[in-house]
Amino acid sequence: MATRHFIGWSEAAPARVVRWCRGQWPEALPPGLIFCVPTSLALRRLRDALIDAYGSFQGVRFLTPSALPTLFAPPAETQAATPSEMFRVWARVFDWLRQADPSDAVLASLFPGQRAWLDRPAARYALARRLMALRDTLAEQCLDFAAVAAHPQTALLGDRERNRWAALDLLETKCRETLAALGLEDPADRQLAILRNPVPQPQEAAAEWRLVVACVPDLMPALTRLFDAAPACDILVLAEPSDADRFSPHGLPAPAAWATCDIPLPEGALRPAENPQGEADAVEAFLDAHRRIDPADLCLCALDREALPPLTAALAEHNVTIFEPEPIALAKQAPARALIALSALLRDPTPAALLPLPTLPEAA
């Protein structure tokens, strides 16, 4: 099992991680150490901090969460299809779809109306990219189209929504059949197999590597299986030890535990005011306290449309850019977001939560 360590939040994350490392290994980092960090930027910052502390990072490896499965043995020796090969696979699936019965209720639910778009290469390419992204997102949740289509709560959706998932399951089946005919392995299925039965690669196990998950705030639930399968795993949580009961055994924040918690704002943060003038005063105070910051380099987001004009007038002399974020319609959001929401709702015991679920956007 992974071991949690609460390293506080009074300093920047790299400094806290380095302090923890110094407590474990005062002189030098051990061989076989692998850091999992949230982003590429965090990777560079932690690497630089370790160089400052130890003189070098001494062969330590750094990965982001999406690369963690590379530490574990693939389920077969078959070569996984590359993205370009997957586009050719989906082209064959679309050729099959062109010949399918247009009155089929299942397919019609996913692609209503005419299928003239199948003759447009750009439309086929765009849909292939979308379907590949959807499958990758589900694989991160240990799901595929078939698993969602067969889920008991999916049966509570309306006919059209149920047919949509059945159609996606059918397209996925055709994709797998095409891959098998070409002697290639499905990359999404490879990811699923690793997550469902993670076994360290032989060379990794021989090195007795140790995984350190450094301040990763939002983990795909399936990754917790990789943490438990690692020879050794330390999860560094950017929180105080007194908050231990607010996190899961894998360091994930427990929403219910934080619902009534008063989280302190960091120094220099702006608290929301009840009126535009109060907000303007808060910004003025912030600028006065941080004179080293050029106001021209700041950008202020006004969440309340009514506050936009008075804030603009009050802060005009500071040359601060003020904008209002425009909401993005659900139909224009990345379909992967809808699938992430669905995979979360499928774990929700309340079936009614599935009813207003945004459905897959229509194909262009």
Side-chain angles (χ1 to χ4, degrees):
M1 287 290 292
T3 304
R4 297 182 308 176
H5 306 272
F6 293 90
I7 61 175
W9 51 21
S10 59
E11 295 177 277
R16 299 298 303 172
V17 174
V18 168
R19 179 173 297 181
W20 179 84
C21 289
R22 279 293 199 188
Q24 303 291 315
W25 310 288
E27 301 300 327
L29 295 173
L33 202 60
I34 302 172
F35 282 94
C36 174
V37 294
T39 63
S40 297
L41 178 59
L43 185 156
R44 292 193 294 273
R45 287 176 173 170
L46 179 58
R47 183 183 58 198
D48 292 344
L50 289 173
I51 291 175
D52 290 341
Y54 289 99
S56 71
F57 51 85
Q58 302 166 327
V60 171
R61 283 189 288 168
F62 300 86
L63 299 174
T64 55
S66 60
L68 271 183
T70 61
L71 298 175
F72 297 84
E77 296 181 359
T78 309
Q79 179 182 355
T82 64
S84 60
E85 289 170 333
M86 286 302 299
F87 282 122
R88 291 196 289 270
V89 168
W90 280 108
R92 295 193 182 189
V93 174
F94 295 149
D95 288 339
W96 165 83
L97 183 60
R98 183 190 281 116
Q99 306 300 323
D101 183 359
S103 64
D104 184 282
V106 171
L107 293 177
S109 68
L110 190 59
F111 307 112
Q114 299 296 322
R115 299 182 191 168
W117 61 269
L118 282 170
D119 297 323
R120 302 200 304 272
R124 290 158 60 104
Y125 175 77
L127 186 59
R129 288 190 60 182
R130 178 178 296 181
L131 292 172
M132 289 162 63
L134 295 178
R135 297 189 70 225
D136 288 342
T137 301
L138 279 184
E140 292 172 351
Q141 306 286 338
C142 267
L143 294 170
D144 57 10
F145 289 142
V148 178
H151 196 282
Q153 289 191 354
T154 303
L156 301 174
L157 297 169
D159 290 341
R160 184 176 181 182
E161 284 71 24
R162 289 198 303 271
N163 284 339
R164 282 176 183 269
W165 289 108
L168 289 170
D169 179 18
L170 180 58
L171 291 183
E172 189 174 56
T173 299
K174 292 296 180 181
C175 172
R176 287 170 173 153
E177 291 176 356
T178 304
L179 283 163
L182 295 174
L184 296 172
E185 185 181 359
D186 188 333
D189 283 348
R190 170 176 286 201
Q191 173 100 332
L192 273 174
I194 291 174
L195 291 173
R196 289 170 176 168
N197 183 30
V199 177
Q201 294 202 35
Q203 64 271 27
E204 302 291 356
E208 295 183 355
W209 52 274
R210 180 170 183 170
L211 180 63
V212 178
V213 183
C215 310
V216 178
D218 300 307
L219 300 172
M220 288 85 77
L223 288 183
T224 59
R225 307 184 186 195
L226 301 186
F227 300 160
D228 289 338
C233 180
D234 296 288
I235 297 178
L236 309 186
V237 184
L238 205 63
E240 299 296 339
S242 58
D243 290 321
D245 60 341
R246 300 184 185 276
F247 292 86
S248 75
H250 291 97
L252 297 172
W258 288 97
T260 58
C261 179
D262 182 19
I263 302 176
L265 291 174
E267 182 181 356
L270 299 178
R271 293 182 180 275
E274 295 181 358
N275 56 76
Q277 187 54 50
E279 294 177 358
D281 292 344
V283 176
E284 289 270 16
F286 178 83
L287 294 174
D288 289 340
H290 299 77
R291 293 187 180 277
R292 67 184 184 280
I293 300 177
D294 185 350
D297 294 333
L298 294 177
C299 199
L300 180 66
C301 172
L303 299 181
D304 186 350
R305 178 173 297 179
E306 295 180 358
L308 199 60
L311 278 175
T312 302
L315 301 170
E317 64 183 61
H318 292 286
N319 194 28
V320 176
T321 302
I322 306 176
F323 71 98
E324 176 195 4
E326 296 183 1
I328 302 174
L330 279 177
K332 295 183 180 179
Q333 291 185 7
R337 300 298 181 192
L339 279 180
I340 292 173
L342 176 67
S343 62
L345 288 172
L346 288 177
R347 297 191 296 271
D348 190 330
T350 307
L354 283 170
L355 299 181
L357 182 74
T359 56
L360 185 71
E362 309 292 353

